[in-house]
Amino acid sequence: MSAAPQNPESATETTATPAAGPPAAYSPTRRAMGVDVARAVALIGMVAVHTFPVQHVDGAMSWPFAVFGGRAAALFAVLAGVSIAFVEKRSRGQLHGRTLAADRAALVVRGLLILLIGLLLGHLETDIDTIIPYFGILFILAVPFYGRSSLFLLIAAPIFAIFGSVLRHLLNGKIPEQVDPEADYTLVTAARQPVLFILDMLVTGFYPTILWMAYLCVGMVLGRQVLTSRKVALKFVGWGAALAISTWVLSKVLLGPAGGMQRLVEATPSLSTADITDLLIYGPESNLMPNTTWWWLATVAPYSDSPLNVLHNLGTAVAAIGVVLLLTHSGGKVFSPFAAIGMMTLTLYSAHCIVFMLEVLDETRPVVSLWVQVISFMLFAMVWRSSIGKGPLESIISEASDWVRQRVRTPRERPRRGKPAADRAASGDIRMTAPLRRPDGTS
């Protein structure tokens, strides 16, 4: 159990843990409630995008894709950074020496286990582009940024967004593809093509982690704030909305009055104007946008991973977290079912992939399919939380990372040669080196 907070303002940000046994009910702090509900929103958004078609029969964009396309996954990544910041807070400013090394070692173990789970999910052969292995890489990449100042992280975020997009544009079409480009990586395919696997995870894959480090860096800064404060939540909403709107407007100006659309048409004769328009609205069908001109980086299309797209998604994620923190500020019980989902998103995302693999839901009725999954996840999460505690996969990762943290933090004592003094004394093996003298000086 973590030590008591140093000031009353942060007292509400520490959750008490029962001495023994699972919790009787879900009763998080307001901070945990808001963050967990935001995780649930991100998970439900990704499930909705996978469940609904991109377009309806009449050609109109479906509402889940319009609202959550690319944004839900970005929100999930920002919240991963918030979780890392919570670990930093648990160390209470002692981020140096063995404590820092222990936390970073635990972060590596967490990333490797998440990567392993993601590669195992790749064996399910679903139509879902699984985000889990990319998250494992993200946690590993976060190690050198753990414990850095907020200013350092805020400077690093746009650098990742710009540099990653430029590198992705340059490598587009210049590296070989895996045997089945549409399939997720598995333990087998990753082992057979390790260099290609790493390049895809970092730059050219569906969720390129070099770019997505921007989300993680900002999330770490957000998690360091006093999340119980209405003022902080309002700042999240204001700054996030301003960033999302400004990047969207800038993209429209660049592709409109600035002549970007015309440059795209001239540089990409293989695509018609209608095809290019669709790309700018729906994003790429595969994982990469065309690279015929640098003007493609001016788009904010979903999953385009341009600098403006990353910053736009970042703004919507920050604003969404602020809205959820405001809604859950009172800690109302109405949000408890969603918070329970947010506490085991890795387990429930994996269950979602398994459901899609089994094809037990009618894909022609996406509304029913979505509700069945959400309600099932909610019931399972609440029952599991009240009877056992952490989610199954979350528990495994937490136990493993905590074990590594403790091993690194606690220095090993060198074993002494021979018997310990106490054992030698008990066995009568200690001899006097000088005779015992009486107070009068005689032996």
Side-chain angles (χ1 to χ4, degrees), residues 8-21:
E9 187 177 30
S10 63
T12 55
E13 297 192 11
T14 303
T15 305
T17 305

Side-chain angles (χ1 to χ4, degrees), residues 1 31 43 50 94 105 176-177 224 240 257 305 311 314 381 397 442:
M1 183 185 299
R31 181 207 67 184
L43 176 64
H50 298 157
Q94 303 297 321
E177 295 182 333
R224 295 171 179 176
D305 287 315
L311 295 176
L314 187 55
I397 293 175
T442 61

Side-chain angles (χ1 to χ4, degrees), residues 20-42:
Y26 182 85
S27 56
T29 64
R30 282 181 293 169
R31 181 207 67 184
M33 172 76 80
V35 172
D36 287 335
V37 171
R39 287 197 194 98
V41 171

Side-chain angles (χ1 to χ4, degrees), residues 49-323:
V49 170
H50 298 157
T51 303
F52 280 75
V54 175
Q55 287 181 309
H56 294 299
V57 178
D58 59 0
M61 182 185 292
S62 66
W63 70 264
F65 190 83
V67 175
F68 295 114
R71 300 187 183 100
L75 174 59
F76 208 48
V78 173
L79 289 167
V82 173
S83 299
I84 294 175
F86 288 172
V87 178
E88 290 179 335
K89 283 186 175 183
R90 192 164 61 185
S91 297
R92 298 181 59 202
Q94 303 297 321
L95 289 175
H96 54 78
R98 283 190 174 273
T99 299
L100 179 59
D103 284 356
R104 287 178 169 174
L107 201 58
V108 171
V109 171
R110 182 177 294 271
L112 290 175
L113 289 176
I114 293 174
L115 175 60
L116 174 62
I117 293 171
L119 293 177
L120 290 174
L121 290 176
H123 289 276
L124 299 180
E125 297 183 357
T126 66
D127 292 333
I128 299 173
D129 295 298
T130 309
I131 197 174
I132 301 302
Y134 297 91
F135 263 68
I137 300 294
L138 272 178
F139 275 96
I140 296 173
L141 291 179
V143 169
F145 296 87
Y146 182 87
R148 298 286 187 178
S149 69
S150 295
L151 178 61
F152 181 91
L153 295 173
L154 289 177
I155 294 174
I159 292 176
F160 277 121
I162 296 171
F163 173 75
S165 296
V166 170
L167 188 60
R168 186 175 171 86
H169 183 85
L170 291 173
L171 292 180
N172 187 353
K174 294 188 170 96
I175 61 174
E177 295 182 333
Q178 63 165 317
V179 177
D180 185 358
E182 300 299 323
D184 286 327
Y185 276 99
T186 65
L187 287 170
V188 176
T189 55
R192 286 178 177 174
Q193 310 169 89
V195 175
L196 180 58
F197 168 70
I198 293 173
L199 283 174
D200 276 355
M201 291 290 109
L202 293 177
V203 184
T204 57
F206 203 77
Y207 303 99
T209 53
I210 290 294
L211 280 81
W212 282 55
M213 276 298 295
Y215 301 136
L216 210 70
C217 288
V218 172
M220 292 171 69
V221 175
L222 299 185
R224 295 171 179 176
Q225 312 309 308
V226 181
L227 301 184
T228 55
S229 168
R230 287 182 181 272
K231 185 177 180 180
V232 169
L234 287 170
K235 285 183 177 179
F236 287 179
V237 175
W239 284 107
L243 180 60
I245 294 172
S246 61
T247 49
W248 185 85
V249 171
L250 179 58
S251 175
K252 295 302 178 184
V253 171
L254 290 174
L255 295 175
M261 182 64 179
Q262 184 62 31
R263 301 295 190 281
L264 295 178
V265 172
E266 293 172 354
T268 320
S270 60
L271 298 176
S272 66
T273 302
D275 293 333
I276 293 176
T277 302
D278 283 345
L279 276 174
L280 297 179
I281 295 174
Y282 294 100
E285 293 185 4
S286 59
N287 60 322
L288 292 167
M289 293 286 282
N291 65 341
T292 53
T293 174
W294 289 100
W295 281 95
W296 285 108
L297 299 186
T299 180
V300 289
Y303 306 107
S304 61
D305 287 315
S306 69
L308 293 181
N309 172 240
V310 173
L311 295 176
H312 172 79
N313 288 344
L314 187 55
T316 59
V318 174
I321 292 172
V323 170

